[in-house]
Amino acid sequence: MAILGQGQIVAVTVRMLDADGFVDFSMRKLATELNVTPMAIYWHVDSKNDVLELALDAVHGEFTQQALHPSLQ
């Protein structure tokens, strides 16, 4: 069994948001994707808003990296 971490939570959140959009996102669905209980996620983040902010930061960071290093595209 893999250890759940914030990076994994954020990566799955970004993938889910990309696939299904913001409206369909829920902590319960995220927990199902991660194969954990919803409360397990809250050991790593304080709220759904925190998860969404971390996901936004991750995506923003990807765009920033691409802008700074176009050869990585």
Side-chain angles (χ1 to χ4, degrees), residues 2-13 30 34 36 40-45 51 54:
I3 297 174
L4 182 64
Q6 193 177 74
Q8 182 183 13
I9 292 168
V10 171
V12 172
T13 299
L30 175 60
L34 292 166
V36 299
I41 297 169
Y42 291 105
W43 282 96
H44 304 280
V45 296
V51 173
L54 290 167

Side-chain angles (χ1 to χ4, degrees), residues 34-52:
L34 292 166
N35 199 29
V36 299
T37 65
M39 289 310 298
I41 297 169
Y42 291 105
W43 282 96
H44 304 280
V45 296
D46 291 330
S47 68
K48 178 180 175 180
N49 285 340
D50 286 344
V51 173
L52 295 173

Side-chain angles (χ1 to χ4, degrees), residues 1-34:
M1 177 164 86
I3 297 174
L4 182 64
Q6 193 177 74
Q8 182 183 13
I9 292 168
V10 171
V12 172
T13 299
V14 169
R15 182 178 51 78
M16 289 176 65
L17 291 171
D18 189 42
D20 301 325
F22 173 77
V23 174
D24 288 333
F25 180 80
S26 72
M27 294 298 275
R28 186 175 305 277
K29 289 179 182 180
L30 175 60
T32 299
E33 286 291 315
L34 292 166

Side-chain angles (χ1 to χ4, degrees), residues 10 14 52-68:
V10 171
V14 169
L52 295 173
E53 285 183 33
L54 290 167
L56 180 60
D57 289 346
V59 171
H60 182 264
E62 289 175 15
F63 285 121
T64 302
Q65 283 291 348
Q66 289 175 1
L68 294 174

